[in-house]
Amino acid sequence: MHPKLFFFGFEIPAYTLFSILALVVVAFGGYFFALSRGFSKRDAFLMVFFMSISTFLGARILNFFVNYSYYENNFFKIFEFSTRGFSLYGGVLGAVLSGLIVSYKRKINLMRFADSMTPFVGIGIVLMRIGCFLNGCCFGKETDSIFGVVFPKFSLAHIHQLNGSVFGSATVRAVHPTQLYELFFALICVIFAFYALKRKFKDGTVFLICGALFSAFRWVNMYFRELNYPDYVLKFVYPSIYLSIIVFCLFLFFRINNSFKRKLFKFF
């Protein structure tokens, strides 16, 4: 855990640094990769530009609804320009919505563009989770498993344990490294995406498969995380979001890949 990093004598928060790196990789990597796959400079720029803005807005709006306690004492936090107060899937939904609008106006093949962005979104998630791990945030529940990690004293995980203990304890107990779980699964999706894009799959296939798989993983990983959200968020809101995305991705996948659907039904 290294919440502060030093470059040439300057101190910068690890989470801020890796969040900025993630944004740069997703925006520039996705843009140039889209160009290599036949999109014009203007179309690629417009898609990346508006999707980047809507990602920020969507992530902040969803966080406002699922983590209202963070804003109730200062409503204007929703407008602050910082790396705090974001929910990943709000950003994803915001990007998809703006992508739909821009692609409709510009007559862009949205599914092909989504495929182009998928591996770089995965790399962005990897970078953000590195920042989370170094910062000590987004930690998991206590565990005795071999996967458990022990954060330093007075880290966010330790403070949470102190607040939840009647007597308090100077001993830091191991927690699930849910940041690393998500990092490794995102990395698997990145490798799969680059490999699959070299194959002759129909447009949208890579994006939909990765979207369904990663959403299923996030759903499972949620139960290992220590989340201070209201019960209705954990029991209803997030499961509903994940389930809706999985069903929608699978529906479109089978709609696009009719031959795969026929083979699957024939198998069963």
Side-chain angles (χ1 to χ4, degrees):
M1 177 179 164
H2 295 280
K4 301 289 185 181
L5 300 177
F6 293 89
F7 288 94
F8 303 103
F10 292 98
E11 182 182 85
I12 182 170
Y15 184 75
T16 300
L17 173 64
F18 280 93
S19 295
I20 294 172
L21 286 175
L23 177 61
V24 171
V25 168
V26 174
F28 285 91
Y31 170 78
F32 286 109
F33 193 55
L35 295 184
S36 71
R37 302 189 76 228
F39 291 93
S40 70
K41 291 181 179 180
R42 182 178 178 83
D43 286 344
F45 172 79
L46 288 174
M47 289 289 282
V48 170
F49 177 76
F50 284 105
M51 290 175 76
S52 297
I53 293 176
S54 59
T55 296
F56 177 88
L57 295 175
R60 179 58 58 81
I61 291 171
L62 179 60
N63 189 260
F64 174 79
F65 285 106
V66 302
N67 191 25
Y68 179 74
S69 60
Y70 177 69
Y71 303 92
E72 62 180 346
N73 294 325
N74 185 2
F75 176 79
F76 290 98
K77 281 185 178 180
I78 197 172
F79 301 109
E80 70 180 1
F81 190 77
S82 73
T83 54
R84 294 191 61 188
F86 293 103
S87 295
L88 176 63
Y89 270 71
V92 172
L93 295 173
V96 170
L97 179 60
S98 64
L100 284 168
I101 296 172
V102 176
S103 63
Y104 175 77
K105 293 290 186 180
R106 296 286 303 173
K107 296 189 170 43
I108 298 170
N109 185 337
L110 178 60
M111 285 301 184
R112 184 172 178 80
F113 192 85
D115 281 347
S116 304
M117 295 295 296
T118 296
F120 295 95
V121 171
I123 295 173
I125 292 172
V126 168
L127 291 170
M128 289 186 68
R129 290 308 168 229
I130 293 174
C132 285
F133 188 72
L134 291 176
N135 188 50
C137 60
C138 303
F139 54 88
K141 296 179 179 178
E142 293 180 24
T143 179
D144 294 324
S145 74
I146 59 173
F147 300 109
V149 297
V150 178
F151 285 99
K153 288 185 177 180
F154 305 113
S155 62
L156 294 175
H158 186 214
I159 292 172
H160 177 80
Q161 292 169 2
L162 290 174
N163 291 336
S165 174
V166 176
F167 303 103
S169 174
T171 302
V172 187
R173 297 181 290 277
V175 297
H176 282 286
T178 48
Q179 315 96 321
L180 299 185
Y181 296 164
E182 186 168 320
L183 184 158
F184 286 122
F185 195 84
L187 188 59
I188 291 172
C189 289
V190 170
I191 295 171
F192 165 77
F194 277 124
Y195 172 80
L197 286 171
K198 294 181 179 179
R199 304 289 175 173
K200 294 183 179 180
F201 292 119
K202 291 187 177 179
D203 292 337
T205 299
V206 172
F207 166 71
L208 294 171
I209 290 176
C210 288
L213 290 177
F214 191 74
S215 295
F217 168 80
R218 285 271 299 190
W219 193 351
V220 174
N221 198 38
M222 180 181 73
Y223 296 106
F224 292 95
R225 281 186 62 180
E226 195 65 70
L227 294 167
N228 294 319
Y229 294 161
D231 284 344
Y232 75 91
V233 172
L234 300 177
K235 294 179 179 179
F236 177 74
V237 176
Y238 269 123
S240 298
I241 291 174
Y242 295 138
L243 180 60
S244 299
I245 291 174
I246 293 168
V247 171
F248 184 70
C249 286
L250 292 177
F251 170 77
L252 285 182
F253 172 79
F254 286 115
R255 186 179 178 88
I256 291 171
N257 295 275
N258 290 320
S259 60
F260 183 88
K261 180 171 63 176
R262 289 195 295 270
K263 290 178 182 178
L264 182 65
F265 288 155
K266 186 177 180 180
F267 176 80
F268 287 105

